[in-house]
Amino acid sequence: MFDLSRSIRNLPGTNKPLRLAVRQLRWFKAAFRSHAEFCGKAMECDFRVDDIKLAGAFVRWLESIDRQKPREKGERQDFFGFAPSLVLRELVADMPISAECAPAGIDPRSAAGFWPEGYVATTFCLTVYAATMDQEFHIDVHVSEMVDDLRSWWSFRENASEDTGYAAGFFQMLLGNEPNWWMPTNFSARTRSVPAQDNIEINYSAE
């Protein structure tokens, strides 16, 4: 279901580089609301966004990345790939979005139908990340097929309800990386690439 290219085109415009725009609350809120509306149309479901919760997640995320920002320029690209996983952790910690009805336009047994709020939050992070990587490094982001795999989402929701750090690890897996499950929110515990076919198997082992 997830169409990354269409989702990127739906982001609000800005005259600043995305790496700077995303650090501004006004653009961050506008982008999140736009993405929620975009997903709502596809799902045939209206979403309500809590601006206070969204602002809280934004502030906690900025504080987290500012604490972990590497000094070495050679780590810049890796950090760009790590930072959005921390956004997802904060969004899952205090979900700022709620579905006002069951999605009518998708299979209720799909990943988006199973947890529409989590799906919107996760694809929002993927969208901003992919757009930023293209702008900064001219890199096309490839998202694992597990983004639409229901069993992976069962594991994600269950584990993140007990430890929100799991959300960061799940995001890293969507990008083809194997998280350090002991410290998935710690940049110094660097992730490593794994074969695409192994992604879902790793996720199931966490159930």
Side-chain angles (χ1 to χ4, degrees):
M1 173 187 170
F2 180 50
D3 187 331
L4 183 59
S5 60
R6 287 188 60 213
S7 188
I8 290 173
R9 291 195 297 271
N10 185 66
L11 288 174
T14 174
N15 58 3
K16 297 182 179 181
L18 282 175
R19 61 182 169 81
L20 299 180
V22 73
R23 292 178 60 96
Q24 297 183 322
L25 180 58
R26 178 177 295 182
W27 188 88
F28 185 91
K29 288 170 62 175
F32 189 84
R33 283 187 167 275
S34 179
H35 185 73
E37 183 178 355
F38 171 77
C39 292
K41 290 179 180 178
M43 297 182 189
E44 296 182 22
C45 171
D46 291 329
F47 289 99
R48 184 189 308 113
V49 177
D50 185 320
D51 283 337
I52 294 177
K53 288 185 176 182
L54 185 61
F58 172 80
V59 171
R60 293 193 304 272
W61 169 63
L62 281 187
E63 291 174 346
S64 180
I65 61 173
D66 285 343
R67 285 196 304 269
Q68 299 195 56
K69 186 177 180 180
R71 295 181 180 179
E72 297 294 332
K73 291 184 178 181
E75 295 182 319
R76 183 171 179 264
Q77 183 173 320
D78 285 350
F79 193 69
F80 269 69
F82 183 80
S85 71
L86 300 183
V87 179
L88 184 58
R89 176 189 64 175
E90 300 304 340
L91 293 175
V92 169
D94 193 13
M95 188 64 74
I97 185 173
S98 58
E100 296 190 331
C101 61
I106 55 177
D107 187 340
R109 296 167 297 180
S110 66
F114 164 66
W115 190 17
E117 295 89 351
Y119 195 86
V120 171
T122 302
T123 54
F124 166 72
C125 295
L126 287 170
T127 298
V128 176
Y129 165 70
T132 304
M133 291 298 286
D134 177 54
Q135 188 177 87
E136 292 291 322
F137 305 106
H138 307 294
I139 292 175
D140 291 330
V141 169
H142 299 283
V143 180
S144 167
E145 292 181 359
M146 66 183 286
V147 72
D148 284 314
D149 182 81
L150 179 58
R151 290 176 294 174
S152 299
W153 282 82
W154 272 101
S155 177
F156 173 24
R157 187 172 187 176
E158 179 180 354
N159 285 283
S161 67
E162 299 178 2
D163 180 359
T164 56
Y166 188 90
F170 179 75
F171 185 88
Q172 293 158 30
M173 290 173 67
L174 291 177
L175 300 180
N177 296 316
E178 181 182 359
N180 180 334
W181 289 111
W182 291 103
M183 297 181 290
T185 61
N186 190 324
F187 178 66
S188 63
R190 194 62 52 86
T191 59
R192 64 181 178 83
S193 297
V194 295
Q197 65 268 22
D198 291 342
N199 286 341
I200 294 178
E201 294 178 4
I202 293 171
N203 190 58
Y204 297 161
S205 67
E207 293 183 350

